[in-house]
Amino acid sequence: MPGKSAPYRNISSKKDEYGLWIKEVLDHYEEKKISFVVSSYSSSMFLSFAKRWPERVESALLLVPSGIAHGPVLPMMGKMVVPFLKYYLRPSEKTLDAVIETMGGKDDPVWREFFNLMMSSYKMEMKPPREYTREELTKFNAPLLITASENDIFFPAGIVFKKAKEIFSGPVTTVEIDSKHLPSEETMSDVCKQTKEFLFSDAEFS
């Protein structure tokens, strides 16, 4: 999670310090320009970088992305915050299921193990990722593939796709998937195929 790696570094999203952190990594490995594959929270971190160093982005896939637009707050509170609190107060298979049910991955043993570890022993970053405006991204025009789901409680496809057309000046390809916030293994297989075609060919998707 952002800001939680060791050694600890207090990074502020308001100051675009996530973008600075990404730049430092690229500088260390002497990478001048690369393609990005990001999802969820890391999408906002990527946009922090794209805002300040747009010339260093070749292209990017944004999967169920933050940083563009979010869904209604009240449903998020009821379907996510309440189950999280119930689990923290009374950890059990039942309360864990309630969290996974909303996020996706309920029947996936890998996601279950992930959530069990995350919820029981990890301090998560609870501050929501920031969203970016057209004015902030005026110099960013790299090709984007944005993949999202209307069933994603955090970043619904319709809202994300509409806002993406408003804030990005470069070519944007959108793909809607049938998923919650956490895509299934089958869905991810399709996403990976589309990503390869996007990054390594001139293919377009409807």
XYZ file of all heavy atoms in Angstrom, residues 79-103 106 112 115-116 119:
254
model
N -21.859 -0.502 2.101
C -21.439 -1.827 1.628
C -19.975 -2.160 1.912
O -19.584 -3.320 1.824
C -21.696 -1.936 0.122
C -23.174 -1.925 -0.233
C -23.389 -2.097 -1.722
C -24.869 -2.114 -2.072
N -25.099 -2.300 -3.535
N -19.180 -1.149 2.245
C -17.773 -1.422 2.515
C -17.348 -1.066 3.936
O -16.771 -1.888 4.634
C -16.894 -0.660 1.515
C -16.779 -1.343 0.163
S -16.249 -3.087 0.242
C -14.717 -2.969 1.125
N -17.640 0.141 4.372
C -17.169 0.571 5.685
C -17.800 -0.262 6.791
O -17.107 -0.723 7.715
C -17.467 2.071 5.912
C -17.064 2.482 7.328
C -16.719 2.915 4.885
N -19.107 -0.488 6.697
C -19.800 -1.274 7.730
C -19.259 -2.702 7.814
O -18.922 -3.174 8.907
C -21.326 -1.270 7.494
C -22.011 -2.241 8.454
C -21.882 0.143 7.673
N -19.144 -3.444 6.688
C -18.552 -4.791 6.769
C -17.115 -4.789 7.313
O -16.735 -5.690 8.066
C -18.592 -5.280 5.317
C -19.730 -4.548 4.718
C -19.696 -3.184 5.346
N -16.322 -3.776 6.940
C -14.960 -3.690 7.462
C -14.980 -3.549 8.981
O -14.226 -4.223 9.690
C -14.239 -2.490 6.834
C -13.387 -2.841 5.651
C -13.973 -3.125 4.427
C -12.009 -2.889 5.748
C -13.206 -3.446 3.322
C -11.225 -3.209 4.645
C -11.820 -3.492 3.426
N -15.845 -2.649 9.480
C -15.920 -2.437 10.923
C -16.387 -3.686 11.650
O -15.865 -4.031 12.716
C -16.870 -1.263 11.227
C -16.373 0.125 10.828
C -17.447 1.165 11.077
C -15.103 0.477 11.603
N -17.358 -4.386 11.075
C -17.846 -5.624 11.688
C -16.740 -6.663 11.785
O -16.615 -7.384 12.776
C -19.033 -6.175 10.890
C -20.319 -5.408 11.070
C -21.461 -6.060 10.304
C -22.777 -5.339 10.543
N -23.899 -5.969 9.787
N -15.915 -6.728 10.731
C -14.822 -7.708 10.759
C -13.803 -7.337 11.837
O -13.346 -8.211 12.594
C -14.124 -7.786 9.400
C -12.934 -8.719 9.440
C -13.091 -10.092 9.261
C -11.655 -8.232 9.705
C -12.011 -10.953 9.335
C -10.566 -9.079 9.784
C -10.749 -10.444 9.599
O -9.677 -11.296 9.687
N -13.442 -6.052 11.921
C -12.449 -5.640 12.913
C -12.945 -5.869 14.338
O -12.166 -6.199 15.239
C -12.087 -4.171 12.711
C -11.204 -3.925 11.509
C -11.518 -2.941 10.579
C -10.060 -4.688 11.294
C -10.712 -2.725 9.462
C -9.254 -4.478 10.189
C -9.577 -3.496 9.274
O -8.787 -3.291 8.179
N -14.263 -5.699 14.545
C -14.824 -5.898 15.874
C -14.984 -7.374 16.211
O -14.720 -7.785 17.346
C -16.185 -5.186 15.978
C -16.139 -3.653 15.937
C -17.548 -3.081 15.859
C -15.417 -3.108 17.161
N -15.401 -8.172 15.203
C -15.608 -9.614 15.432
C -15.101 -10.388 14.223
O -15.878 -10.775 13.353
C -17.083 -9.913 15.668
C -17.675 -9.268 16.916
C -19.135 -9.645 17.070
N -19.296 -11.053 17.346
C -19.574 -11.551 18.557
N -19.712 -10.732 19.573
N -19.721 -12.837 18.741
N -13.796 -10.618 14.156
C -13.233 -11.359 13.016
C -13.792 -12.782 12.950
O -13.786 -13.505 13.948
C -11.726 -11.386 13.323
C -11.503 -10.283 14.309
C -12.759 -10.192 15.106
N -14.310 -13.145 11.782
C -14.849 -14.492 11.586
C -14.963 -14.746 10.087
O -14.814 -13.839 9.262
C -16.233 -14.622 12.231
O -17.184 -13.811 11.542
N -15.236 -15.979 9.721
C -15.438 -16.322 8.315
C -16.625 -15.546 7.737
O -16.595 -15.085 6.594
C -15.703 -17.837 8.185
C -14.502 -18.706 8.511
C -13.425 -18.615 7.447
O -13.769 -18.553 6.257
O -12.238 -18.605 7.817
N -17.663 -15.382 8.557
C -18.872 -14.707 8.099
C -18.610 -13.230 7.817
O -19.032 -12.705 6.772
C -19.973 -14.840 9.158
C -21.300 -14.207 8.746
C -22.358 -14.425 9.817
C -23.685 -13.789 9.395
N -24.728 -13.988 10.439
N -17.930 -12.542 8.746
C -17.681 -11.113 8.534
C -16.653 -10.887 7.428
O -16.701 -9.877 6.721
C -17.206 -10.436 9.835
O -16.091 -11.165 10.381
C -18.327 -10.384 10.854
N -15.724 -11.838 7.259
C -14.772 -11.750 6.152
C -15.496 -11.927 4.826
O -15.218 -11.219 3.845
C -13.679 -12.796 6.300
C -12.588 -12.790 5.220
C -11.840 -11.467 5.223
C -11.613 -13.950 5.442
N -16.445 -12.854 4.781
C -17.240 -13.074 3.567
C -17.976 -11.814 3.138
O -18.112 -11.539 1.950
C -18.263 -14.193 3.788
C -17.659 -15.580 3.610
O -16.586 -15.671 2.980
O -18.253 -16.563 4.083
N -18.464 -11.044 4.110
C -19.216 -9.825 3.794
C -18.326 -8.805 3.088
O -18.773 -8.108 2.178
C -19.796 -9.228 5.072
N -17.069 -8.729 3.501
C -16.124 -7.819 2.856
C -15.823 -8.280 1.441
O -15.871 -7.507 0.474
C -14.816 -7.721 3.676
C -13.782 -6.891 2.914
C -15.078 -7.124 5.042
N -15.514 -9.567 1.298
C -15.148 -10.118 -0.009
C -16.326 -10.068 -0.968
O -16.141 -9.838 -2.169
C -14.636 -11.571 0.145
C -13.406 -11.591 1.058
C -14.276 -12.152 -1.212
C -12.894 -12.980 1.352
N -17.518 -10.250 -0.470
C -18.719 -10.247 -1.317
C -18.853 -8.934 -2.071
O -19.196 -8.904 -3.252
C -19.959 -10.496 -0.462
C -21.271 -10.441 -1.220
C -21.424 -11.554 -2.240
O -20.932 -12.667 -1.968
O -22.017 -11.308 -3.304
N -18.577 -7.845 -1.400
C -18.703 -6.535 -2.028
C -17.557 -6.252 -2.994
O -17.750 -5.684 -4.063
C -18.747 -5.431 -0.959
O -19.838 -5.684 -0.073
C -18.949 -4.065 -1.589
N -16.360 -6.671 -2.619
C -15.177 -6.399 -3.436
C -15.064 -7.336 -4.631
O -14.551 -6.976 -5.686
C -13.920 -6.542 -2.578
C -13.783 -5.511 -1.493
S -13.151 -3.946 -2.101
C -11.438 -4.354 -2.369
N -15.069 -13.767 -3.885
C -15.570 -14.564 -2.762
C -15.189 -16.038 -2.865
O -14.846 -16.674 -1.864
C -17.089 -14.416 -2.675
C -17.705 -15.165 -1.498
C -19.197 -14.949 -1.425
C -19.797 -15.715 -0.247
N -21.248 -15.536 -0.142
N -9.224 -14.899 -0.926
C -9.610 -15.122 0.475
C -8.375 -15.064 1.377
O -8.397 -14.425 2.435
C -10.322 -16.463 0.622
C -10.566 -16.870 2.078
C -11.497 -18.054 2.185
N -12.866 -17.610 2.003
C -13.578 -17.019 2.944
N -13.052 -16.777 4.128
N -14.813 -16.652 2.728
N -7.210 -11.391 1.621
C -8.023 -10.565 2.515
C -7.827 -10.956 3.969
O -7.811 -10.097 4.852
C -9.502 -10.680 2.136
C -9.936 -9.666 1.124
C -10.107 -10.021 -0.196
C -10.153 -8.349 1.484
C -10.500 -9.086 -1.139
C -10.549 -7.401 0.554
C -10.719 -7.773 -0.762
N -7.681 -12.226 4.233
C -7.489 -12.692 5.591
C -6.205 -12.103 6.179
O -6.183 -11.611 7.316
C -7.427 -14.216 5.619
C -7.474 -14.762 7.035
O -8.159 -14.223 7.900
N -6.714 -15.810 7.280
N -6.630 -8.050 6.351
C -7.543 -7.562 7.385
C -7.033 -7.847 8.792
O -7.335 -7.111 9.726
C -8.919 -8.204 7.203
C -9.570 -7.944 5.858
S -10.227 -6.289 5.700
C -11.637 -6.374 6.788
